[in-house]
Every structure is written in C-alpha cells, then in structure tokens.
Amino acid sequence: GITAVVGPNGSGKTTLLKLLMGLYPCESGRVMLDGADIAQFTRRELATWMGYVPQECVLFSGSIRDNIAQGTADATDEHILRASRQAGVHPFIIDLPEGYGTPVGEGGSVLSGGQRQRLVLARALVGDPPVLLLDEPSSNLDRRAEEDLARTLVELSKDHTIVMVTHSPVLLSVSNRVVALDRGRILAAGLASEILP
C-alpha cells in the first residue's frame, strides 16, 4: 500500500523517513520491518530492502545507465530496463540519440528537474526493494508527469510498501493511509478516507 506523510515544513517528515531507513537511531521505540527490529540489520541489508528517493535528486557525471545502476553493482541491463519502465522514464531515454549511454552532465545538468527525479526513482527501483521511501517525489514534475507517477505508484503498491512525504493532491488521492506530523509528533494517522477530510 501507499502511506503519505504530511505536515508543515520542519515537522519531521524527512527525519521520519531517515529513522525508517535506520540512518538515525530511535530515542525511544523501534522501527520494525516484517516483525523484526531494523537495529539488528546492517546498513547494507537495509539498503537492499529499501529504495530511497531524496528531495534533492543528485546525479553524477556519467551515463544515464550508470546513474540508474549507482549503488547496485550487479545491476543487469534487464534490471535497469525494468526499473526505468516502472519509473516511467524509459520512453524519454530511448528517444535520446545515445539512449541509456547518454551523458547526463555534472549533477544531471542536461536534464530537466522532472527527468532527474524520474532517474533517481528508477535508481531506487533497480534492486526491486520491497519498501520504497519517497521524499516529495513529484516536486519537479508537471501535472501530467505527476499523474503518471501516481499510476506508477498504485501499480508498485500491489507488491511494495510505499511511504512518501508529499503535499501533492494527486499523490494524496492514491494513498491508502495518511500520517500527519507537526513539530515531530503525530497529530493523526489512519485511513486516507478518514484523515484527509
């Protein structure tokens, strides 16, 4: 399913995602993954099970393929194609003269913000992790691309757990659950149909 995390700036949304990834230790309580405390797992294990799309999409100077495969040393062309299709970036890539071999420039400078965001989503999907953590995944997308992303997330949510920070009405409309934060505290949590109104 899809859980949306909402709240004003500085309310702890990104911090919550980093807690879920095990990047920050819990001051109290535990983060559980399939009934097991994530504190018992290595960073490498957690990185295999969780794909992350940060708010700032960072690409390095190299090809599109290299940027998508970053962090997944054993990524095959098949893995990269599947992830690119899931992220909705494959049609754009194959229209480029060099396709997946196209250099992105330093920081992805030859791509639009939306294209960079979709490439980073493909990167998160390469290893097919069961959990996806997305921080404002549509912030650089236009309305049509945002709707495409919403459809992609609904499809992925059939066999992935998706937790996303968002303020997008389009993405909120496809969320099953919502968690509302304010100043580091949960104000409300539950079914989207109950919380959003």
Side-chain angles (χ1 to χ4, degrees):
I2 302 173
T3 299
V5 180
V6 299
N9 291 341
S11 62
K13 302 180 298 293
T14 299
T15 301
L16 177 62
L17 290 186
K18 290 182 178 180
L19 280 166
L20 295 177
M21 287 187 292
L23 296 178
Y24 296 160
C26 294
E27 290 180 11
S28 63
R30 299 184 298 167
V31 176
M32 307 293 282
L33 181 63
D34 285 341
D37 189 330
I38 66 166
Q40 67 184 318
F41 302 113
T42 66
R43 281 289 321 126
R44 185 166 186 79
E45 288 171 319
L46 292 175
T48 309
W49 301 326
M50 296 182 196
Y52 176 58
V53 177
Q55 210 166 10
E56 297 296 322
C57 299
V58 179
L59 300 177
F60 62 89
S61 185
S63 70
I64 287 176
R65 186 202 188 284
D66 292 342
N67 271 278
I68 293 173
Q70 181 193 12
T72 312
D74 58 349
T76 65
D77 288 343
E78 183 179 309
H79 294 135
I80 290 166
L81 283 172
R82 185 199 72 239
S84 297
R85 286 187 175 110
Q86 287 176 321
V89 77
H90 178 71
F92 146 72
I93 295 171
I94 60 171
D95 282 345
L96 296 170
E98 296 179 62
Y100 283 83
T102 303
V104 300
E106 192 61 46
S109 59
V110 302
L111 304 174
S112 72
Q115 290 166 337
R116 286 192 300 270
Q117 204 156 27
R118 283 311 200 58
L119 282 180
V120 173
L121 176 58
R123 178 189 295 162
L125 291 166
V126 166
D128 196 27
V131 177
L132 293 172
L133 303 172
L134 315 174
D135 197 350
E136 297 286 359
S138 66
S139 60
N140 291 312
L141 303 181
D142 60 31
R143 179 69 178 217
R144 182 174 175 199
E146 197 173 37
E147 290 168 351
D148 289 344
L149 176 62
R151 284 189 289 276
T152 297
L153 294 178
V154 167
E155 194 59 35
L156 286 169
S157 73
K158 292 176 182 175
D159 54 7
H160 293 77
T161 297
I162 300 171
V163 179
M164 67 177 165
V165 171
T166 188
H167 292 100
S168 161
V170 173
L171 297 184
L172 284 171
S173 72
V174 298
S175 300
N176 309 100
R177 300 181 57 78
V178 173
V179 175
L181 297 179
D182 188 30
R183 296 182 208 152
R185 300 209 179 272
I186 296 174
L187 292 181
L191 295 175
S193 58
E194 296 171 1
I195 302 296
L196 287 177

